[in-house]
């Protein structure tokens, strides 16, 4: 892997927004649509005035913007950026740091206090045909150094130590592209990957062992596009091109034993490979929520948020609403609400929740961002606002919130990275 420090890789990004443009944009581009009359000279006939008085006009409720535009940069490869994610494991006082993936690059940026984005590091894969699709942050428990995992087209899972710039690891096991990676919420060394080969794999990045493979008999029948751990890390939900959502457990006795053994197993001493668990049977599976590719799923407490390329995000619960635990082989689902938007019928577009799960953000294929306020008196009908910028016109592949929720980042198909800052209403 090639590595460029800030000074060496500075030509990989460029800021295209001038201060004068910024001033104009702040006034006009933070909100969605408004209704205006298209009269050319501002005058009306007496008849038209009377007609207008009689007709009842529907009042469109326009929400005030939650975020305002700060800046954007463009990576010099000009290809699609498929993923972005903030590092939530920073020490107090450190500036927010996030990573983007696209082309054969994994790039790390820092958000400055003045609203700018600064390039910190850039990794370029030696294979120019590689395309990174996804990334995830964790940390080394012993040193506290941040760890960054990334995967993509070649199916090779890479883990970088971004502080020491040494000891980069890679894992080969998937038979096809890796669509999403994520670290376990409780075990910083456990890394999960979802692949085009219809399976998910659980890795121990401390001992470089593949702990388990999820797929097979009752697994996904097509690409696995997304997954998410619940807050306790005892289960995860996966989804894919087969229109299905499947829930798997990590707290079964065989799985807990395999995870525990993965920390002490020594392949050199045992003269054999680690006995990876092959899990063929999810505890829950449904195809009743969506009728097309399911390309993003996230837990929100005991509820699930899932998205398909049908202009809706569905909030639902496995089983019945009153059930405390999901029964094995449960077939019932309870839909809580649906969040509707427009112009997002392409797949591999992922939404994000902030750390406290108060906001949900999703970009569409025309460069607009929808933000739902989930922490409301009526969570079934959350308030929604829209962000847009006149220069952001290509599909937004993913959004990401900083840990504080004050910064929103989105990445686009034209290689641009956009920063929006929360408006302080105080």
């Amino acid at each position: 892997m090639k590595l460029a420090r800030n000074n060496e890789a500075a030509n990989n990004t460029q800021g295209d927004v001038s201060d004068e443009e910024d001033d104009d944009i702040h006034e006009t581009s933070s909100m969605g649509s408004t209704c205006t009359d298209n009269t050319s000279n501002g005058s009306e006939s007496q008849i038209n005035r009377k007609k207008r008085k009689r007709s009842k006009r529907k009042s469109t409720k326009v929400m005030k913007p939650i975020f305002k535009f700060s800046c954007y940069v463009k990576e010099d490869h000009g290809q699609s950026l498929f993923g972005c994610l903030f590092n939530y494991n920073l020490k107090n006082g450190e500036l927010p740091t996030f990573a983007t993936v696209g082309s054969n690059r994994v790039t790390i940026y820092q958000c400055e206090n003045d609203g700018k984005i600064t390039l910190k590091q850039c990794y370029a894969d030696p294979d120019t045909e590689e395309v990174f699709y996804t990334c995830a942050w964790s940390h080394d428990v012993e040193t506290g150094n941040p760890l960054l995992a990334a995967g993509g087209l070649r199916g090779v899972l890479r883990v970088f130590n971004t502080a020491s710039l040494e000891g980069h690891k890679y894992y080969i096991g998937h038979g096809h592209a890796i669509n999403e990676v994520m670290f376990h919420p409780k075990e910083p060394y456990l890394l999960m990957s979802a692949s085009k080969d219809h399976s998910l794999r659980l890795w121990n990045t401390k001992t470089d062992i593949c702990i388990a493979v999820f797929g097979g008999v009752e697994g996904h029948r097509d690409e696995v596009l997304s997954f998410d751990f619940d807050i306790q890390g005892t289960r995860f939900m996966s989804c894919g091109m087969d229109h299905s959502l499947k829930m798997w457990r990590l707290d079964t006795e065989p799985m807990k034993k395999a995870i525990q053994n993965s920390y002490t197993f020594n392949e050199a001493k045992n003269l054999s490979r680690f006995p990876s668990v092959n899990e063929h049977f999810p505890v829950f599976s449904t195809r009743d929520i969506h009728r097309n590719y399911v390309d993003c799923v996230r837990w929100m407490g005991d509820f699930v948020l899932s998205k398909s390329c049908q202009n809706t995000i569905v909030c639902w619960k496995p089983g019945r609403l009153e059930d405390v635990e999901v029964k094995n082989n449960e077939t019932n689902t309870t839909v809580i609400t649906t969040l509707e938007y427009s112009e997002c019928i392409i797949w591999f577009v992922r939404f994000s929740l902030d750390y406290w799960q108060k906001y949900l953000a999703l970009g569409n294929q025309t460069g607009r961002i929808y933000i739902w306020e989930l922490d409301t008196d009526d969570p079934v009908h959350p308030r929604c606002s829209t962000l847009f910028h006149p220069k952001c016109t290509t599909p937004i592949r993913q959004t990401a919130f900083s840990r504080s929720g004050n910064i929103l980042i989105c990445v686009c198909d034209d290689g641009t990275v956009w920063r929006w800052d929360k408006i302080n209403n105080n």
Side-chain angles (χ1 to χ4, degrees), residues 232-368:
Q232 297 298 329
T234 58
R235 55 187 177 171
F236 66 92
M237 188 75 70
S238 61
C239 62
M241 281 189 173
D242 57 0
H243 308 182
S244 71
L245 293 118
K246 299 179 184 291
M247 189 177 81
W248 313 77
R249 298 208 73 99
L250 295 177
D251 57 354
T252 61
E253 286 305 318
M255 197 62 64
K256 289 195 293 185
K257 185 177 180 180
I259 293 173
Q260 183 179 0
N261 291 341
S262 71
Y263 284 98
T264 57
F265 188 85
N266 190 315
E267 291 187 351
K269 291 182 179 179
N270 286 273
L271 301 177
S272 62
R273 300 185 66 85
F274 182 83
S276 301
V277 176
N278 291 304
E279 182 58 78
H280 297 283
F281 302 98
V283 296
F284 169 86
S285 181
T286 182
R287 286 167 54 93
D288 295 335
I289 304 299
H290 300 285
R291 294 291 181 267
N292 211 320
Y293 298 166
V294 189
D295 57 0
C296 189
V297 62
R298 295 290 181 263
W299 284 95
M300 189 174 69
D302 288 328
F303 299 136
V304 178
L305 291 162
S306 58
K307 170 194 166 291
S308 181
C309 43
Q310 298 172 310
N311 288 328
T312 56
I313 296 173
V314 181
C315 179
W316 58 282
K317 184 179 185 294
R320 296 175 300 176
L321 188 61
E322 62 270 19
D323 291 343
V324 177
E325 288 289 334
V326 179
K327 303 173 184 176
N328 283 345
N329 301 318
E330 177 67 76
T331 58
N332 294 318
T333 58
T334 303
V335 175
I336 309 301
T337 188
T338 58
L339 308 178
E340 297 183 353
Y341 45 91
S342 62
E343 297 181 295
C344 192
I345 58 174
I346 61 175
W347 62 282
F348 213 75
V349 174
R350 291 172 283 187
F351 63 85
S352 65
L353 293 165
D354 72 312
Y355 182 79
W356 305 105
Q357 297 190 335
K358 293 182 178 180
Y359 300 101
L360 185 153
L362 170 72
N364 72 359
Q365 64 197 63
T366 62
R368 289 176 178 259

